[in-house]
């Protein structure tokens, strides 16, 4: 009997978003207002929260979310609260209060964005993250 060959399929996850962590002790609506003023955008509260699901597709937690579609630069902004009711959106980063996601970003320089956000009075710290370095980022889906 001939020995069967085994093939392993591996692929590298590609992310279509940039990710910025924000530390702030203020409420989500106050932070969104400050970001709107700073970046001259219009983040608004989504009707539905961002739902985190497990591998079985069951809802694990929900997180407040704000969004803005930038037609000029053809990208979408999402501001999501990291910790809600003891559950984390990104458990690897428990010290981060909010995450700002820029989906399909080709126009905004993230280092410039972080400099701009540091000016907002309600923001204590701004930290850009590479989604590839965060395991739970592969479960994030926007749209």
């Amino acid at each position: 009997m001939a020995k069967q060959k085994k093939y392993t399929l591996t692929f590298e996850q590609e992310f279509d978003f940039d990710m910025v962590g924000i530390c702030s002790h203020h409420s989500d609506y106050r932070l969104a207002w400050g970001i709107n003023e700073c970046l001259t955008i219009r983040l608004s509260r989504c009707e539905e929260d961002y739902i985190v699901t497990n591998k079985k597709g069951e809802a694990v937690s929900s997180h407040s979310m704000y969004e803005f579609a930038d037609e000029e630069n053809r990208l979408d902004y999402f501001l999501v609260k990291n910790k809600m009711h003891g559950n984390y959106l990104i458990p690897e980063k428990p010290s981060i209060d909010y995450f700002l996601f820029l989906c399909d970003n080709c126009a905004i320089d993230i280092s410039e964005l972080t400099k701009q956000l540091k000016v907002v009075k309600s923001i204590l710290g701004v930290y850009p993250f590479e989604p590839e370095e965060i395991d739970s980022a592969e479960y994030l889906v926007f749209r």
Side-chain angles (χ1 to χ4, degrees), residues 4-142:
Q4 259 187 334
K5 289 185 180 182
K6 290 186 180 182
Y7 296 98
T8 305
L9 178 63
T10 58
F11 67 95
E12 193 168 314
Q13 176 78 26
E14 290 187 29
F15 296 96
D16 65 343
F17 58 84
D18 293 314
M19 183 175 175
V20 177
I22 298 174
C23 292
S24 175
H25 295 300
H26 292 278
S27 58
D28 50 4
Y29 63 87
R30 187 167 176 186
L31 176 64
W33 181 81
I35 292 171
N36 285 343
E37 291 289 311
C38 175
L39 302 180
T40 59
I41 61 174
R42 304 191 90 199
L43 286 167
S44 60
R45 176 76 192 240
C46 296
E47 289 182 19
E48 296 182 18
D49 289 345
Y50 187 87
I51 306 294
V52 177
T53 58
N54 60 16
K55 292 180 182 180
K56 296 177 183 177
E58 301 165 338
V60 176
S61 63
S62 65
H63 303 264
S64 66
M65 183 169 71
Y66 291 73
E67 68 179 338
F68 172 68
D70 186 348
E71 300 291 330
E72 182 180 327
N73 293 316
R74 296 184 178 177
L75 68 106
D76 296 315
Y77 292 85
F78 294 95
L79 178 67
V80 185
K81 191 168 187 174
N82 190 29
K83 183 179 179 183
M84 289 285 287
H85 311 294
N87 296 311
Y88 290 97
L89 176 71
I90 307 289
E92 297 92 337
K93 303 293 179 187
S95 60
I96 302 296
D97 299 309
Y98 298 90
F99 283 98
L100 182 64
F101 298 97
L102 283 75
C103 296
D104 300 324
N105 179 23
C106 295
I108 306 295
D109 180 29
I110 296 301
S111 60
E112 264 312 302
L113 178 76
T114 57
K115 287 178 188 174
Q116 289 177 312
L117 289 174
K118 287 179 181 179
V119 176
V120 178
K121 291 181 181 179
S122 60
I123 293 179
L124 303 173
V126 181
Y127 310 96
F129 292 107
E130 293 295 328
E132 296 83 10
E133 297 172 0
I134 299 175
D135 292 337
S136 59
E138 70 181 80
Y139 301 111
L140 297 175
V141 178
F142 295 99

